[in-house]
Amino acid sequence: MEVTIFGSGYVGLVTGACLAEAGNNVLCVDVDERKIAVLNAGGVPIFEPGLEDMLRRNKEAGRIAFSTDLAQGVAHGLFQFIAVGTPPDEDGSADLRHVLSVAKTIGEHIEGYRIVVDKSTVPVGTADRVAEAIGAAQAARHTAHEFDVVSNPEFLKEGAAIEDFMRPDRIIVGTDNPRTGELLRALYAPFNRSHDRLMLMDVRSAELTKYAANAMLATKISFMNELSNIAEAVGADIEKVRVGIGSDPRIGYQFIYPGCGYGGSCFPKDVRALERTATEIGYPPMLLQAVEAVNARQKDVLFAKISGYFDGALAGKTFALWGLAFKPNTDDMREASSRRLMEQLWDAGARVRAFDPVAGEEAQRIYGDRADLVLVDDQEAALEGADALAIVTEWTQFRSPDFAAVKARLKSPVVFDGRNIFDHGQVTGAGLDYVSIGRGLMPGR
């Protein structure tokens, strides 16, 4: 099938690559000339495991192409995917300018039936606004070509997006036109073979499903972080509590790991956007507000532990940070806990030596050159001249270090584990103090 993807960011590139992998003819369109130049040269502007190889393979096969020509994009595909960014506005609502700009473009160039697919994460009611924008643009040029607007939210985990798209646990399609639903079913048939994962529903329910899913996962994380602070105060070990409650199949083990707060491009933005939607209709979203408040407070916990350990005397000290991305297997630092910690350390007069397997360039882009930040090429180099070590991202390669070597390099023998990835006995057995999250029975030093 002929498919156009507007937006060559994270969602757009993964969607385009996977649809091309299934044999479709895909055109990815973006107004960012630099990004399209990188893609046409064989590069990838984001890090996602497996994406670069998949794009190269399908580009060589002629199944995917990249362009800045908006009119060409509208002419190309029966399916017009909108996969542009919806950044949070100042009031927390989703900024739909880019989505509606694409809709206007479609209306300005449409010459035959098109299925417009909202892939971006958008508030309930956005499909109506997209349809209005397309209709208004057509009216201005005195045309009235038929089109349908579909909600088809993405459920891609950064770091596992290719697997999530190729082997989805559900494919949500919101449409009020049965014919359109069957055309989407045909497009997704290669990803839906072992059993039917495609769920047809009305448009507004599909739009809300995406926000509901992310808000539920964020709620689980904030609940465990809240519980970890209680456990620490009463002398319990949150890791033992986690295993105890996770064994209940009604709860399960996913998303109940305590830590130093969630970040990324989805959970913070989507919780706030859903909160804003509820407020606009006059419903006070108390639980959503609490989820966000707990997460904001949790991002201060690691700094509070570091400051408490050193009795507030952080000026002039150097801290090694392992991990900058908001989670493993991505270079995304949007609202990452590392950013909050580094900025607090800098405000206290401390310096940072940081390592992340893939997010170093992103940190350099965000912070530029500054005397109190050194970005290094391996985790051992981060320890050079450091007073203490803090773990902020749970990359697999951080899980089994030589603790004796870590102790030998640190001026103060202490590890602050913001993700609880280490065993207390192993760390302390090497002569290191170990400070983690929600483990009240473990001495600070």
Side-chain angles (χ1 to χ4, degrees), residues 296-329:
R297 182 177 62 187
Q298 198 68 16
K299 289 184 177 180
D300 294 333
V301 166
L302 200 53
F303 175 78
K305 290 177 178 291
I306 293 171
S307 183
Y309 184 91
F310 288 103
D311 298 321
L314 302 182
K317 286 185 167 54
T318 298
F319 292 88
L321 258 65
W322 285 0
L324 292 167
F326 85 94
K327 60 180 274 188
N329 297 318

Side-chain angles (χ1 to χ4, degrees), residues 47-68:
F47 176 81
E48 176 63 33
L51 180 59
E52 185 172 1
D53 289 342
M54 184 176 283
L55 285 172
R56 182 177 62 251
R57 181 168 62 248
N58 284 284
K59 186 171 182 289
E60 291 172 353
R63 291 190 295 266
I64 193 167
F66 309 97
S67 175
T68 59

Side-chain angles (χ1 to χ4, degrees), residues 101-407:
S101 176
V102 173
K104 181 173 180 287
T105 295
I106 294 171
E108 290 171 341
H109 298 285
I110 186 172
E111 294 294 344
Y113 177 65
R114 292 292 182 266
I115 299 172
V116 181
V117 183
D118 281 339
K119 201 69 174 172
S120 302
T121 300
V122 293
V124 175
T126 298
D128 294 337
R129 295 184 63 183
V130 168
E132 290 169 4
I134 296 172
Q138 285 210 79
R141 51 191 283 253
H142 307 292
T143 60
H145 297 289
E146 185 185 1
F147 66 92
D148 283 300
V149 180
V150 175
S151 175
N152 175 221
E154 53 86 12
F155 296 95
L156 306 176
K157 298 186 295 292
E158 291 193 40
I162 299 294
E163 178 70 15
D164 286 345
F165 198 103
M166 299 299 287
R167 296 175 179 82
D169 46 24
R170 78 280 209 195
I171 302 166
I172 302 295
V173 173
T175 179
D176 300 319
N177 187 335
R179 177 189 64 175
T180 305
E182 291 310 307
L183 287 169
L184 265 293
R185 187 182 296 278
L187 179 66
Y188 279 113
F191 313 100
N192 196 35
R193 294 178 65 83
S194 61
H195 63 277
D196 191 7
R197 300 177 178 89
L198 192 140
M199 304 175 190
L200 287 173
M201 59 184 69
D202 63 277
V203 174
R204 290 188 169 230
S205 294
E207 291 172 330
L208 183 57
T209 296
K210 169 64 177 180
Y211 279 114
N214 279 352
M216 174 63 79
L217 298 175
T219 299
K220 293 183 74 173
I221 294 171
S222 279
F223 176 79
M224 284 304 294
N225 284 333
E226 182 92 303
L227 210 57
S228 74
N229 297 326
I230 296 171
E232 194 161 296
V234 301
D237 182 348
I238 191 61
E239 290 301 318
K240 292 182 172 60
V241 175
R242 177 182 64 79
V243 174
I245 66 173
S247 61
D248 186 331
R250 297 171 299 175
I251 298 172
Y253 290 105
Q254 291 188 317
F255 288 87
I256 61 168
Y257 289 85
C260 48
Y262 62 75
S265 63
C266 294
F267 287 4
K269 173 176 70 70
D270 293 353
V271 170
R272 292 180 200 130
L274 184 55
E275 181 183 333
R276 179 67 183 177
T277 295
T279 302
E280 287 177 348
I281 61 173
Y283 181 83
M286 291 184 289
L287 180 57
L288 296 176
Q289 292 166 348
V291 168
E292 183 66 16
V294 168
N295 189 59
R297 182 177 62 187
Q298 198 68 16
K299 289 184 177 180
D300 294 333
V301 166
L302 200 53
F303 175 78
K305 290 177 178 291
I306 293 171
S307 183
Y309 184 91
F310 288 103
D311 298 321
L314 302 182
K317 286 185 167 54
T318 298
F319 292 88
L321 258 65
W322 285 0
L324 292 167
F326 85 94
K327 60 180 274 188
N329 297 318
T330 181
D331 61 353
D332 194 342
M333 288 182 62
R334 283 173 286 186
E335 304 210 34
S337 299
S338 64
R339 297 178 65 170
R340 178 67 177 151
L341 176 59
M342 287 193 293
E343 289 160 11
Q344 289 175 310
L345 290 171
W346 293 330
D347 288 344
R351 295 180 296 272
V352 173
R353 292 177 62 84
F355 168 72
D356 188 283
V358 299
E361 289 186 8
E362 179 66 2
Q364 179 67 40
R365 184 192 68 80
I366 293 169
Y367 293 111
D369 295 325
R370 49 186 301 161
D372 49 11
L373 173 63
V374 178
L375 299 169
V376 298
D377 294 329
D378 62 73
Q379 62 200 68
E380 288 76 19
L383 302 172
E384 293 296 333
D387 290 272
L389 168 64
I391 312 296
V392 193
T393 312
E394 62 276 29
W395 285 92
T396 301
Q397 71 184 72
F398 297 159
R399 292 180 180 271
S400 299
D402 182 339
F403 289 113
V406 171
K407 180 178 184 293

